[in-house]
Amino acid sequence: MIFKIAWRNLLEYRTKTLIIGVLVALGVGVLVIGNSVLESITRGMEASYVENFTGDLIVRNGSDEAVEFMGGFGAVPPAITGFTEVEAYLQKQGGVVASTPLLTSTASLSKDDETLGAAILWGVQPSSYFRMFPGKFILTDGELLRGGEPGILLSQALVDQVFETHGVELRVGETVLLSGQNNTTGTKIREVKVRGVGYYENSAGLLDLISLVDANTLRALTGLTAVGTESTPDAASDTAASAANENAPLEDGDELFDDALVTEAESAPGTAEIDFDDILGDTSVRDGYLALDNHAWHFLLVDLGEAAPDAVTAGLGTLNGTDLVVEDWRWGAGIVADLAFTLRTILNAVILVIAIVAVTIIMNTLVISVTERMGEIGTIRAMGGQKGFVRRLITTEVLTLTLLFGLVGVAFGGLTIGVLNVLGLPAGNLFLQVLFGGPVLRPVLSISALYVSVIAVAVIGVVASLYPTSVALGVSPVRAMQK
Amino acid sequence: MAIAELNNVKKTYPLGKTEVHALKGVSFAIEKGDFVSIAGPSGSGKSTILNLLGCIDTASSGQVLIGGVETTGLSDKQITTLRHEVLGFIFQSFNLIPVLNVFENVEFPLLLGKSSLSKREKAKWIDHLIDAVGLANWRTHKPNELSGGQRQRVAIARALATKPGIVLADEPTANLDSVTSQGIIDLMKQMNRDLETTFIFSTHDQDIVSIADHVIRIQDGLVLRDYKTARSTPGREDAWVSA
Ligand SMILES: Nc1ncnc2c1ncn2[C@@H]1O[C@H](COP(=O)(O)OP(=O)(O)OP(=O)(O)O)[C@@H](O)[C@H]1O
Ligand SMILES: [Mg+2]
């Protein structure tokens, strides 16, 4: 009966019902559409980053500086201390499906004495890298890097950019010069052969400019030498390693690969300049500087499959002498992911404002309708209706109204998302492309947004009816007489 | 034992900085089954008395007893329950719930509290009441589809739905023409006889007063005359109960 009265009152006062209803439906629609789009963005971003770039976990060394994953413009963290132990430990963990180490840096690219611009470089271990991210770096020419073989896979976007601005074509098989600056060995120049050109799918912005290079070339550029990195891996201190040459068999990937085959292009000034006179006759110090630390890695990317991160990383802290930080894709994506999450926060703040406005409008409308119906409420009270009955009457009315139009809003939002999914939401500019992780976004209905909106609507209904209800409860039965 | 009783009841309303003494010490007793008219000129305090009898307003001083129960000091919940169980109301402007049809309006008071009746018994009782007030053909009509007289008939049926001991009606015919008014008063009188329900109604219409078997005349917040007519006490014409 209460529901019958509530329902008929809603029909009776159609204008008010529609005012509140449209407001509620719009709010819910915005909530559903906005959160669905943004959740699709973050989901897509997560999938894209986890599958293409970061894996589930990024293990790195602690650092006093704010460090970045991309090797774009932020600082690079120190190499992981005790890398071999960390890697061995993680590979023993049940949940770990795959892992691969990574180095990042930027270098200036030049060819035939012409500087062509900056390249973002990822130093990889080809064997594990292409096993963990199979087919993610899509070749347009040439072939992938092989273990122990120096070389670079240039980013297609970089190649295009260089051709556009300098008219220089970078082709597979040619040699390019990379020059990097670091605090250990100063400016370093390395000659490296272009093995392939390619791109990551769905990448945009900085990710588009990533080129993959063999690890030792990058170590040389960044000064990750045995002395410079303060770790003493067995291979690096072995002077025999520097005698190895390009023709030596290199089954064990870049572990065996060393500094010797690099062209002697060092022009290191300043801090890292070694006084050869002082140490003449004893080449161990010099070798220490020149020999690269084969175990120096900035990051260890871990693919967990379905395993929970905590179970895998829990024991990392107990590894002796290590200072590890475990990050996830969000950290790896850096500003782009922050942007998406910030947008979601902004959206929800906007919705909160809408909700407050909605509550105010609904509240006022309800107070008016309670005031208009004071005679009716008084009559009910006079006839023996308890306060609880009046409260239920109003709450039922408000909740019926808000939930009904909440559903309309959900349907409207769901339909819009469905249409957008079919048509696709085009990314009109680079900013959106970065955000969408591609030229078109096909948003999916967010189930959590549905829950949130239903709860939000119920809360709005209850909150908005508090004051009108208290007004109604204050109506004296004498009001029945005052008509 | 009196079913309703006022003992030296005073009621003052605040009016700006001053007070209006609406009742200045009113006492009377009403017996079960009486058909009582509270009569008096405008502003004399009729409505005030009915509001106090109906437990929808409280006295400034004095006692209000309903069914032997002293009503001052009862909680809102208790007094609401008392209203539901003992009292029925007929309003000057009918006060039907606009979104409910005739049957639902009559049924409504039964839904405000516990009822010992089964669903079928309820429906039968409500149909009986609707028949009794002559609206059998209007059961599914909404109030705005009825005439004033018909609406007041619905209100009478509704007031009787919970089988109350007392039905209160403050000028139930004030919004009706004289012919219709007569019909409504006759109906109330008939219900009073058939169901032995006490009816207390206020009016300033002399024709209507004459139907009552107990008349309480009010003037200026005081009882002017309180008498029972021959109808209630056969053999005693215009017997004075008090003066
Ligand atoms: N809520 C109130 N506030 C102030 N004064 C009131 C209030 N209700 C009634 N009064 C005053 O109390 C006195 C009695 O009023 P009451 O309504 O009981 O008279 P009545 O006999 O019902 O008159 P009527 O025939 O016009 O309905 C009047 O002087 C009236 O002005
Ligand atoms: Mg009056």
Side-chain angles (χ1 to χ4, degrees), chain A residues 482, chain B residues 13-15 20 22 40-49 170-171 204:
Chain A
Q482 297 162 355
Chain B
Y13 292 107
L15 190 76
V20 180
S42 184
S44 56
K46 303 181 297 290
S47 294
T48 306
I49 288 174
D170 189 10
E171 308 208 31
H204 48 235

Side-chain angles (χ1 to χ4, degrees), chain B residues 88-108:
Chain B
F89 289 86
I90 298 167
F91 303 93
Q92 185 180 326
S93 31
F94 325 127
N95 292 21
L96 300 178
I97 295 179
V99 296
L100 299 181
N101 65 30
V102 168
F103 184 92
E104 290 159 345
N105 261 293
V106 177
E107 182 192 20
F108 188 77

Side-chain angles (χ1 to χ4, degrees), chain A residues 70-71 76-77 102-107 119-125 150-152 178-182 185 188-192 210-225 229 254 257 259 262 292-293 296-299:
Chain A
M70 291 268 291
V76 161
L102 190 79
L103 290 158
T104 66
S105 182
T106 40
I120 298 173
L121 300 178
W122 281 2
V124 298
Q125 188 180 56
I152 187 167
L178 298 171
S179 82
Q181 279 228 325
N182 66 77
T185 54
K188 283 278 189 178
I189 299 177
R190 280 289 182 277
E191 215 174 59
V192 65
I210 288 171
S211 298
L212 298 181
V213 71
D214 68 277
N216 270 352
T217 299
L218 199 136
R219 285 185 189 121
L221 290 171
T222 51
L224 288 169
T225 54
T229 56
D254 56 3
F257 174 64
D259 197 30
V262 170
L292 298 177
D293 177 356
W297 294 101
H298 291 139
F299 304 105

Side-chain angles (χ1 to χ4, degrees), chain A residues 141-296:
Chain A
D141 198 7
E143 49 187 47
L144 295 177
L145 290 177
R146 273 195 291 260
E149 187 181 70
I152 187 167
L153 298 179
L154 284 175
S155 129
Q156 180 69 56
L158 182 65
V159 171
D160 294 346
Q161 195 177 303
V162 164
F163 183 71
E164 264 170 46
T165 51
H166 297 276
V168 175
E169 271 194 77
L170 298 169
R171 292 195 199 83
V172 172
E174 291 178 341
T175 302
V176 292
L177 282 185
L178 298 171
S179 82
Q181 279 228 325
N182 66 77
N183 296 333
T184 318
T185 54
T187 304
K188 283 278 189 178
I189 299 177
R190 280 289 182 277
E191 215 174 59
V192 65
K193 202 172 173 185
V194 178
R195 303 278 173 183
V197 177
Y199 62 95
Y200 284 98
E201 203 177 10
N202 282 339
S203 64
L206 287 178
L207 286 169
D208 241 4
L209 296 172
I210 288 171
S211 298
L212 298 181
V213 71
D214 68 277
N216 270 352
T217 299
L218 199 136
R219 285 185 189 121
L221 290 171
T222 51
L224 288 169
T225 54
V227 170
T229 56
E230 293 163 23
S231 70
T232 49
D234 18 352
S237 60
D238 185 2
T239 44
S242 56
N245 61 48
E246 218 166 340
N247 304 318
L250 297 162
E251 311 91 339
D252 194 17
D254 56 3
E255 302 293 309
L256 286 176
F257 174 64
D258 69 84
D259 197 30
L261 44 90
V262 170
T263 47
E264 285 298 316
E266 279 99 282
S267 61
T271 56
E273 188 69 56
I274 300 154
D275 189 352
F276 290 111
D277 296 330
D278 281 2
I279 53 168
L280 211 63
D282 176 9
T283 59
S284 66
V285 175
R286 193 198 70 158
D287 289 335
Y289 275 101
L290 297 182
L292 298 177
D293 177 356
N294 285 332
H295 296 300

Side-chain angles (χ1 to χ4, degrees), chain A residues 86-100:
Chain A
V86 175
E87 188 180 42
Y89 172 83
L90 280 174
Q91 280 168 358
K92 274 203 308 258
Q93 302 305 304
V96 175
V97 175
S99 72
T100 189

Side-chain angles (χ1 to χ4, degrees), chain B residues 78-124:
Chain B
Q78 287 169 319
I79 218 143
T80 305
T81 307
L82 180 84
R83 282 200 300 270
H84 185 248
E85 287 170 355
V86 182
L87 302 171
F89 289 86
I90 298 167
F91 303 93
Q92 185 180 326
S93 31
F94 325 127
N95 292 21
L96 300 178
I97 295 179
V99 296
L100 299 181
N101 65 30
V102 168
F103 184 92
E104 290 159 345
N105 261 293
V106 177
E107 182 192 20
F108 188 77
L110 290 176
L111 304 166
L112 294 174
K114 286 184 213 73
S115 166
S116 54
L117 298 178
S118 75
K119 221 173 162 148
R120 271 190 57 197
E121 287 171 322
K122 255 188 223 172
K124 222 177 128 191

